[in-house]
Coordinates of all heavy atoms in Angstrom, one line a residue:
Chain B
G74 N -5.8 31.1 23.2 CA -4.8 30.1 23.1 C -4.3 30.0 21.7 O -4.9 29.4 20.8
P75 N -3.1 30.7 21.4 CA -2.7 30.9 20.0 C -2.1 29.7 19.3 O -1.7 28.8 20.0 CB -1.6 32.0 20.2 CG -1.0 31.7 21.5 CD -2.2 31.2 22.4
V76 N -2.0 29.8 18.0 CA -1.0 29.0 17.3 C 0.2 29.8 17.1 O 0.2 30.9 16.6 CB -1.6 28.6 15.9 CG1 -0.6 27.8 15.1 CG2 -2.9 27.8 16.0
V77 N 1.4 29.2 17.5 CA 2.6 30.0 17.5 C 3.7 29.3 16.7 O 3.5 28.1 16.4 CB 3.2 30.2 18.9 CG1 2.2 31.0 19.8 CG2 3.4 28.9 19.6
Q78 N 4.7 30.0 16.3 CA 5.8 29.4 15.5 C 7.1 30.0 16.1 O 7.1 31.2 16.4 CB 5.6 29.8 14.0 CG 6.1 28.7 13.1 CD 5.6 28.9 11.7 OE1 5.2 30.0 11.3 NE2 5.6 27.8 10.9
K79 N 8.1 29.2 16.1 CA 9.4 29.7 16.6 C 10.4 29.7 15.4 O 10.7 28.6 14.9 CB 10.0 28.9 17.7 CG 11.0 29.6 18.6 CD 11.4 28.7 19.8 CE 12.1 29.6 20.8 NZ 12.4 28.8 22.0
T80 N 10.9 30.8 15.0 CA 11.8 30.9 13.8 C 13.1 31.6 14.3 O 13.0 32.7 14.8 CB 11.2 31.7 12.7 OG1 9.8 31.5 12.6 CG2 11.8 31.3 11.3
N81 N 14.2 30.9 14.1 CA 15.5 31.4 14.6 C 15.4 31.9 16.1 O 15.9 33.0 16.4 CB 16.0 32.6 13.7 CG 16.1 32.1 12.3 OD1 16.5 31.0 12.0 ND2 15.8 33.0 11.3
G82 N 14.8 31.2 16.9 CA 14.7 31.5 18.3 C 13.7 32.6 18.7 O 13.6 32.9 19.9
T83 N 12.9 33.1 17.7 CA 11.9 34.1 18.0 C 10.5 33.6 17.8 O 10.2 33.0 16.8 CB 12.1 35.3 17.1 OG1 13.5 35.7 17.2 CG2 11.2 36.5 17.6
W84 N 9.7 33.8 18.8 CA 8.3 33.4 18.7 C 7.5 34.4 17.9 O 7.7 35.6 18.0 CB 7.6 33.3 20.1 CG 8.1 32.2 21.0 CD1 8.9 32.3 22.1 CD2 7.8 30.8 20.9 NE1 9.1 31.1 22.6 CE2 8.4 30.1 21.9 CE3 7.0 30.1 19.9 CZ2 8.3 28.8 22.1 CZ3 6.9 28.7 20.1 CH2 7.5 28.1 21.2
S85 N 6.5 33.9 17.1 CA 5.5 34.7 16.5 C 4.1 34.1 16.5 O 4.0 32.9 16.7 CB 5.9 35.1 15.0 OG 5.9 33.9 14.3
F86 N 3.1 34.9 16.5 CA 1.7 34.4 16.5 C 1.3 34.2 15.1 O 1.4 35.0 14.2 CB 0.8 35.4 17.2 CG 0.7 35.3 18.7 CD1 1.8 34.8 19.4 CD2 -0.5 35.6 19.3 CE1 1.7 34.6 20.8 CE2 -0.5 35.4 20.7 CZ 0.5 34.9 21.4
V87 N 0.8 33.0 14.8 CA 0.3 32.6 13.5 C -1.2 32.7 13.4 O -1.8 33.2 12.4 CB 0.7 31.1 13.1 CG1 0.1 30.7 11.8 CG2 2.2 31.0 13.2
A88 N -1.9 32.3 14.5 CA -3.4 32.4 14.5 C -3.7 32.7 16.0 O -3.2 32.0 16.9 CB -4.0 31.2 14.0
A89 N -4.6 33.7 16.2 CA -4.8 34.1 17.6 C -6.1 34.8 17.9 O -6.3 35.9 18.4 CB -3.7 35.1 18.0
G90 N -7.2 34.1 17.6 CA -8.6 34.5 17.9 C -8.9 34.3 19.3 O -8.2 33.6 20.0
P91 N -10.0 34.8 19.8 CA -10.4 34.7 21.2 C -11.0 33.3 21.5 O -11.6 32.7 20.5 CB -11.5 35.8 21.3 CG -12.1 35.8 20.0 CD -11.0 35.6 19.0
T92 N -10.9 32.9 22.7 CA -11.6 31.6 23.1 C -12.9 32.1 23.9 O -13.0 33.2 24.3 CB -10.7 30.7 23.9 OG1 -11.3 29.4 24.1 CG2 -10.4 31.3 25.3
T93 N -13.8 31.1 24.2 CA -15.0 31.4 24.9 C -14.7 31.8 26.4 O -14.0 31.1 27.1 CB -15.9 30.1 24.9 OG1 -16.0 29.7 23.6 CG2 -17.3 30.4 25.5
S94 N -15.2 33.0 26.7 CA -14.8 33.6 28.0 C -15.6 33.0 29.2 O -15.1 33.1 30.3 CB -15.1 35.1 28.0 OG -14.3 35.7 26.9
I95 N -16.8 32.5 29.0 CA -17.6 32.2 30.2 C -17.0 31.2 31.1 O -17.3 31.1 32.3 CB -19.0 31.7 29.7 CG1 -20.1 31.8 30.8 CG2 -19.0 30.4 29.0 CD1 -20.4 33.2 31.2
R96 N -16.0 30.4 30.6 CA -15.4 29.4 31.5 C -14.6 30.1 32.6 O -14.3 29.5 33.6 CB -14.4 28.5 30.6 CG -15.1 27.6 29.6 CD -14.2 26.6 29.1 NE -13.0 27.2 28.5 CZ -12.8 27.6 27.3 NH1 -13.8 27.5 26.4 NH2 -11.7 28.1 26.9
E97 N -14.2 31.4 32.4 CA -13.5 32.1 33.4 C -14.4 32.8 34.4 O -13.9 33.6 35.3 CB -12.5 33.1 32.8 CG -11.7 32.5 31.6 CD -11.1 31.1 31.8 OE1 -10.9 30.6 32.9 OE2 -11.0 30.4 30.7
E98 N -15.7 32.7 34.2 CA -16.7 33.4 35.1 C -16.4 33.3 36.6 O -16.5 34.2 37.3 CB -18.1 33.0 34.7 CG -19.2 33.7 35.5 CD -19.3 35.3 35.3 OE1 -18.6 35.8 34.3 OE2 -20.0 35.9 36.0
P99 N -16.1 32.0 37.0 CA -15.9 31.9 38.5 C -14.7 32.8 39.0 O -14.7 33.1 40.2 CB -15.6 30.4 38.7 CG -16.0 29.7 37.5 CD -16.0 30.7 36.3
Y100 N -13.7 33.0 38.1 CA -12.5 33.7 38.6 C -12.4 35.2 38.2 O -11.7 35.9 38.8 CB -11.3 33.0 37.9 CG -11.3 31.5 37.8 CD1 -11.4 30.8 36.6 CD2 -11.3 30.7 39.0 CE1 -11.4 29.4 36.6 CE2 -11.3 29.3 39.0 CZ -11.4 28.7 37.8 OH -11.4 27.3 37.7
Q101 N -13.0 35.6 37.1 CA -12.7 36.8 36.4 C -12.8 38.0 37.3 O -11.8 38.9 37.3 CB -13.5 37.0 35.2 CG -12.9 38.1 34.2 CD -11.6 37.5 33.6 OE1 -11.6 36.6 32.9 NE2 -10.4 38.1 34.0
A102 N -13.9 38.2 38.1 CA -14.0 39.4 38.9 C -12.9 39.5 39.9 O -12.4 40.6 40.1 CB -15.4 39.3 39.6
D103 N -12.5 38.4 40.5 CA -11.4 38.5 41.5 C -10.1 38.8 40.8 O -9.2 39.6 41.4 CB -11.2 37.1 42.2 CG -12.4 36.8 43.1 OD1 -13.0 37.8 43.6 OD2 -12.8 35.6 43.2
V104 N -9.9 38.4 39.6 CA -8.6 38.7 38.8 C -8.7 40.2 38.5 O -7.6 40.9 38.6 CB -8.5 37.8 37.6 CG1 -7.3 38.2 36.8 CG2 -8.4 36.3 38.0
I105 N -9.8 40.7 38.0 CA -10.0 42.1 37.7 C -9.6 42.9 38.9 O -8.8 43.9 38.9 CB -11.4 42.4 37.2 CG1 -11.7 41.8 35.9 CG2 -11.7 43.9 37.2 CD1 -13.1 41.9 35.4
K106 N -10.2 42.6 40.1 CA -9.9 43.3 41.3 C -8.5 43.2 41.7 O -7.9 44.2 42.1 CB -10.8 42.7 42.4 CG -11.6 43.7 43.2 CD -12.7 43.1 44.0 CE -14.0 42.9 43.2 NZ -15.1 42.2 43.8
H107 N -7.9 42.1 41.7 CA -6.5 41.9 42.2 C -5.5 42.7 41.4 O -4.6 43.3 42.0 CB -6.2 40.4 42.1 CG -4.8 40.1 42.7 ND1 -4.7 39.9 44.1 CD2 -3.6 40.0 42.2 CE1 -3.4 39.7 44.3 NE2 -2.7 39.7 43.2
F108 N -5.6 42.7 40.1 CA -4.6 43.5 39.3 C -5.1 44.8 38.9 O -4.3 45.6 38.2 CB -4.3 42.6 38.0 CG -3.5 41.4 38.3 CD1 -4.0 40.2 38.2 CD2 -2.1 41.5 38.6 CE1 -3.3 39.0 38.4 CE2 -1.4 40.4 38.8 CZ -1.9 39.1 38.7
Q109 N -6.4 45.2 39.2 CA -6.9 46.5 38.7 C -6.9 46.4 37.2 O -6.4 47.3 36.5 CB -6.2 47.7 39.2 CG -6.3 47.9 40.7 CD -7.7 48.3 41.2 OE1 -8.1 49.3 40.8 NE2 -8.3 47.4 42.0
L110 N -7.4 45.3 36.6 CA -7.4 45.1 35.2 C -8.4 46.2 34.6 O -9.4 46.5 35.3 CB -8.0 43.7 34.8 CG -7.1 42.5 34.6 CD1 -8.0 41.3 34.3 CD2 -6.1 42.8 33.5
R111 N -8.2 46.7 33.4 CA -9.1 47.6 32.8 C -9.9 47.0 31.7 O -10.9 47.5 31.3 CB -8.3 48.8 32.2 CG -7.6 49.7 33.3 CD -8.7 50.3 34.2 NE -8.0 50.9 35.4 CZ -8.5 50.8 36.6 NH1 -9.7 50.3 36.8 NH2 -7.8 51.3 37.6
A112 N -9.4 45.9 31.1 CA -10.2 45.2 30.1 C -9.9 43.8 30.0 O -8.8 43.3 30.3 CB -10.0 45.9 28.7
V113 N -11.0 43.0 29.7 CA -10.9 41.6 29.4 C -11.3 41.4 27.9 O -12.3 41.9 27.6 CB -11.8 40.8 30.3 CG1 -11.8 39.3 29.9 CG2 -11.4 40.9 31.8
I114 N -10.5 40.8 27.1 CA -10.9 40.5 25.7 C -11.2 39.0 25.6 O -10.5 38.2 26.1 CB -9.7 40.8 24.7 CG1 -9.2 42.2 25.0 CG2 -10.3 40.7 23.3 CD1 -8.0 42.5 24.0
G115 N -12.3 38.7 24.9 CA -12.6 37.3 24.7 C -13.8 37.2 23.7 O -14.0 38.2 22.9
K116 N -14.5 36.1 23.8 CA -15.7 36.0 23.0 C -16.9 35.4 23.8 O -16.6 34.7 24.8 CB -15.5 35.3 21.7 CG -15.3 33.8 21.9 CD -15.3 33.1 20.6 CE -15.0 31.6 20.7 NZ -16.2 30.8 21.0
G117 N -18.1 35.7 23.4 CA -19.3 35.1 24.0 C -19.8 35.9 25.2 O -20.9 35.6 25.7
G118 N -19.0 36.8 25.8 CA -19.5 37.5 26.9 C -19.3 36.8 28.2 O -19.0 35.6 28.2
M119 N -19.6 37.5 29.3 CA -19.5 36.9 30.6 C -20.7 37.2 31.5 O -21.6 37.9 31.0 CB -18.2 37.3 31.3 CG -17.0 36.9 30.4 SD -15.4 37.1 31.2 CE -15.4 35.8 32.4
G120 N -20.8 36.7 32.7 CA -22.0 36.7 33.5 C -22.0 37.9 34.5 O -21.2 38.8 34.5
A121 N -23.0 37.7 35.5 CA -23.3 38.8 36.4 C -22.1 39.2 37.3 O -21.9 40.3 37.6 CB -24.5 38.4 37.2
K122 N -21.4 38.1 37.7 CA -20.3 38.4 38.7 C -19.2 39.2 38.0 O -18.7 40.2 38.6 CB -19.7 37.0 39.1 CG -18.8 37.1 40.3 CD -18.3 35.7 40.8 CE -17.1 35.8 41.7 NZ -16.4 34.6 41.9
T123 N -18.9 38.9 36.8 CA -17.9 39.7 36.1 C -18.4 41.1 35.8 O -17.6 42.1 35.9 CB -17.5 39.0 34.7 OG1 -17.0 37.7 35.0 CG2 -16.4 39.8 34.0
L124 N -19.6 41.2 35.4 CA -20.3 42.5 35.2 C -20.1 43.4 36.4 O -19.8 44.6 36.3 CB -21.7 42.4 34.7 CG -22.4 43.6 34.2 CD1 -21.7 44.1 32.9 CD2 -23.9 43.3 33.9
Q125 N -20.4 42.8 37.6 CA -20.3 43.6 38.8 C -18.8 44.0 39.1 O -18.6 45.1 39.5 CB -20.8 42.7 40.0 CG -20.9 43.4 41.3 CD -21.9 44.6 41.3 OE1 -23.0 44.4 40.9 NE2 -21.4 45.7 41.7
G126 N -17.9 43.1 38.8 CA -16.5 43.4 38.9 C -16.1 44.5 38.0 O -15.3 45.4 38.5
C127 N -16.6 44.6 36.8 CA -16.3 45.7 35.9 C -16.8 47.0 36.5 O -16.1 48.0 36.4 CB -17.0 45.4 34.5 SG -16.2 44.2 33.6
Q128 N -18.0 47.0 37.1 CA -18.6 48.2 37.7 C -17.7 48.6 38.9 O -17.4 49.8 39.0 CB -20.0 47.9 38.2 CG -21.1 48.2 37.2 CD -22.5 48.0 37.8 OE1 -22.9 46.8 37.9 NE2 -23.2 49.1 38.1
D129 N -17.4 47.7 39.7 CA -16.7 48.0 41.0 C -15.3 48.6 40.7 O -14.9 49.6 41.3 CB -16.5 46.8 41.9 CG -17.8 46.3 42.4 OD1 -18.8 47.0 42.3 OD2 -17.9 45.1 42.9
V130 N -14.6 48.0 39.8 CA -13.2 48.4 39.6 C -13.0 49.5 38.5 O -12.1 50.3 38.5 CB -12.3 47.1 39.2 CG1 -10.9 47.5 38.9 CG2 -12.4 46.1 40.4
G131 N -13.9 49.4 37.5 CA -13.8 50.3 36.4 C -13.1 49.5 35.3 O -11.9 49.7 35.0
A132 N -13.8 48.6 34.7 CA -13.2 47.7 33.6 C -14.3 47.4 32.6 O -15.5 47.7 32.9 CB -12.7 46.4 34.2
V133 N -13.9 47.0 31.4 CA -14.9 46.6 30.4 C -14.6 45.2 29.8 O -13.4 44.8 29.9 CB -14.9 47.6 29.2 CG1 -15.6 48.9 29.6 CG2 -13.5 47.8 28.6
Y134 N -15.6 44.6 29.2 CA -15.4 43.4 28.4 C -15.3 43.8 26.9 O -16.3 44.4 26.4 CB -16.5 42.4 28.7 CG -16.3 41.1 27.9 CD1 -15.5 40.1 28.4 CD2 -17.0 40.9 26.7 CE1 -15.4 38.9 27.7 CE2 -16.8 39.7 26.0 CZ -16.0 38.7 26.5 OH -15.9 37.5 25.9
L135 N -14.3 43.5 26.3 CA -14.1 43.8 24.8 C -14.3 42.5 24.1 O -13.6 41.5 24.3 CB -12.7 44.4 24.6 CG -12.4 45.7 25.3 CD1 -11.0 46.1 25.0 CD2 -13.4 46.8 24.8

Side-chain angles (χ1 to χ4, degrees):
Chain B
V76 175
V77 296
Q78 213 164 23
K79 200 176 197 174
T80 327
N81 303 323
T83 309
W84 289 108
S85 61
F86 273 32
V87 177
T92 191
T93 308
S94 299
I95 196 69
R96 294 191 307 270
E97 315 319 332
E98 180 65 11
Y100 317 116
Q101 198 67 67
D103 291 330
V104 175
I105 290 172
K106 229 166 273 174
H107 186 82
F108 287 108
Q109 299 288 297
L110 270 182
R111 294 296 166 219
V113 172
I114 310 176
K116 75 172 175 83
M119 301 189 72
K122 193 176 164 196
T123 302
L124 191 60
Q125 187 63 49
C127 287
Q128 268 184 285
D129 293 346
V130 176
V133 288
Y134 180 83
L135 300 174

